[in-house]
Amino acid sequence: MAQIDQFADPAGPGTLVEGEGTVIERMRAFRHRWPPGNGVGVFHQAYLTTVGGTAGHGGPADRVAAGTLEARLAERYLAALDAAEAGGHPPECWRPLFPYRRHPGVRPVQFALAGLHAHVAHDLALAVVDVCRTRECEPAALEGEFERVGDLLALLEERIHDDSMPGPDLLRIADPLTHLVSSWSLERARGAAWSAARVLRQLRGLPSLAEELRQQTDAGAGLVVRFLLTPCR
């Protein structure tokens, strides 16, 4: 069975993403194409600020530049942006963000959390598989890196809440938004991604089943993204 692009290694087989310029600079370039007022840009700006704001200080950007799991994860996201910009087909979980990105009834925090869910529920599992394939190891060997990615994602979630969440006065009016935001769990999304990665790695000798699972994971993440983008005003 021919492996489709979404499941293929975005950096090319047998390679590691290296250098801050490969990841951080590409993200900075996309900032001009997906401005912060754009729904996709809301997530992109929060992501870029989180991974790029501490470069050279031993923070997240230094780990992204190391060509490890963090870099693979960022490459998965950038591949989705590349596909959308080229008029192609990004993973199903990312697709709702593009047509909805100017919807007046969807608040910035919804776009940001929708992007975060797509990134965790779909991209993270495939990034783990990417690294396992490159290093010829099992997911258990990446637990430390996976936990560091978890710390990075927690910082990203915190930034999203700080930058995009309406103030208390508005939240009393926007009860549906409060319900949506409080119903989503980063911890549960990460746990599901880890389980999916372990199963996908075990199915490497059964490409048809692996691709079926990838598609179902993508579709499930897309369903949650659509719920998160429910207009709340």
Side-chain angles (χ1 to χ4, degrees):
M1 184 194 74
Q3 190 180 51
I4 67 173
D5 290 343
Q6 292 170 15
F7 199 36
D9 189 334
T15 64
L16 276 177
V17 180
E18 294 181 355
E20 180 185 342
T22 306
V23 176
I24 303 297
E25 292 305 324
R26 283 186 64 202
M27 292 183 70
R28 287 173 180 156
F30 270 113
R31 179 176 53 191
H32 304 294
R33 303 175 216 175
W34 304 100
N38 177 296
V40 179
V42 174
F43 171 74
H44 188 80
Q45 184 59 40
Y47 194 6
L48 176 59
T49 303
T50 300
V51 301
T54 54
H57 300 285
D62 297 311
R63 298 198 300 267
V64 171
T68 54
L69 180 58
E70 292 91 337
R72 290 293 188 169
L73 181 58
E75 280 291 323
R76 283 282 168 187
Y77 167 61
L78 291 170
L81 290 186
D82 279 333
E85 189 176 51
H89 298 285
E92 186 174 339
C93 58
W94 283 106
R95 291 175 201 170
L97 276 88
F98 300 104
Y100 273 74
R101 65 185 184 273
R102 295 186 182 91
H103 196 298
V106 181
R107 293 176 179 249
V109 69
Q110 293 176 255
F111 286 116
L113 288 181
L116 182 56
H117 182 77
H119 199 40
V120 177
H122 176 262
D123 298 350
L124 181 54
L126 297 189
V128 171
V129 175
D130 290 342
V131 177
C132 286
R133 183 171 61 248
T134 299
R135 298 182 188 173
E136 298 183 352
C137 68
E138 298 304 315
L142 304 179
E143 287 192 53
E145 289 184 51
F146 191 84
E147 290 303 315
R148 290 196 297 275
V149 166
D151 293 340
L152 176 67
L153 294 171
L155 286 174
L156 176 53
E157 183 186 30
E158 182 179 343
R159 181 170 295 279
I160 287 170
H161 280 271
D162 289 345
D163 294 349
S164 304
M165 197 68 176
D169 292 340
L170 291 176
L171 283 179
R172 282 197 290 270
I173 300 171
D175 287 336
L177 179 62
T178 308
H179 175 74
L180 275 177
V181 172
S182 63
S183 296
W184 187 77
S185 168
L186 173 60
E187 183 178 357
R188 290 182 180 179
R190 281 182 55 212
W194 181 246
S195 296
R198 292 172 63 201
V199 175
L200 283 169
R201 181 61 177 164
Q202 290 300 311
L203 291 176
R204 60 188 178 276
L206 300 169
S208 295
L209 285 177
E211 175 58 16
E212 182 178 341
L213 175 58
R214 189 212 62 78
Q215 290 181 2
Q216 292 300 321
T217 300
D218 189 13
L223 181 63
V224 174
V225 166
R226 285 177 171 82
F227 281 130
L228 287 171
L229 294 176
T230 300
C232 288
R233 61 180 177 188

